[in-house]
Amino acid sequence: MDTEGAGGERESPARRRGQGELEAQVLSVLGEATEPVTAAWVLQRLGSGLSYSTVITILTRLHAKQAVTRTGPGRPVLWQPVANEAGLAALRMRRLLDKQSDRDAVLSSFVSVLSADDEELLRSLLAESDPGSGSGGAPGSGLGGPGAAPAPTDRPEG
């Protein structure tokens, strides 16, 4: 709903960010850092009128999603990215898939709605990947690198 400002002018309410948009912005800023940084550093570079507590909340959510790491209990807490924006999207997709009981049907449906170009890209990425690596990430995804948690598997050990 619009509100009336000084002088009778109409002001639009603040635009609500899309789901994950702020997380992507924070990851982008973290990606610019050459070393682990403080939340205040992130806030300064975002420059979008956010509060410090909002930045801490986003960093904490990204930490829970294993998209960023943080230093131990010492002060100041330092943050660094584990996953880039593409890696975060991949983490979301993986979590959605993990919640489904019929993974085959979900993956089949996903592939069936891809464009021909995207399907070809996916086939190419799968052909390039090492099936025994278990890294869980495609090249350039920001996942599966050093320090990344191994991807869970349904295969029996042995």
Side-chain angles (χ1 to χ4, degrees):
M1 180 168 147
D2 289 347
T3 58
E4 192 169 309
E9 300 164 356
R10 305 295 281 178
E11 296 177 1
S12 296
R15 181 183 74 81
R16 181 152 173 85
R17 288 180 179 85
Q19 183 178 6
E21 184 178 342
L22 191 51
E23 289 178 350
Q25 290 173 348
V26 168
L27 278 175
S28 177
V29 166
L30 283 173
E32 297 169 6
T34 57
E35 59 189 3
V37 297
T38 64
W41 187 92
V42 174
L43 176 62
Q44 181 181 17
R45 276 148 187 85
L46 284 172
S48 57
L50 298 173
S51 70
Y52 181 80
S53 63
T54 298
V55 172
I56 290 292
T57 298
I58 296 303
L59 287 166
T60 301
R61 287 179 182 168
L62 289 169
H63 184 259
K65 296 176 181 180
Q66 300 175 342
V68 299
T69 59
R70 57 174 280 170
T71 60
R75 299 282 184 221
V77 173
L78 300 176
W79 304 86
Q80 68 183 44
V82 171
N84 57 21
E85 190 173 342
L88 183 59
L91 283 169
R92 285 189 195 118
M93 291 167 61
R94 175 64 188 256
R95 285 195 183 92
L96 286 171
L97 180 61
D98 287 345
K99 292 178 184 178
Q100 303 303 310
S101 59
D102 190 350
R103 297 171 70 90
D104 290 349
V106 172
L107 288 171
S108 177
S109 294
F110 176 72
V111 171
S112 72
V113 296
L114 291 175
S115 69
D117 289 343
D118 286 345
E119 185 176 345
E120 182 56 37
L121 175 59
L122 182 58
R123 288 181 190 280
S124 172
L125 291 170
L126 289 170
E128 290 174 14
S129 70
D130 177 9
S133 72
S135 69
S141 71
L143 296 175
T153 178
D154 294 332
R155 293 183 211 117
E157 293 183 19

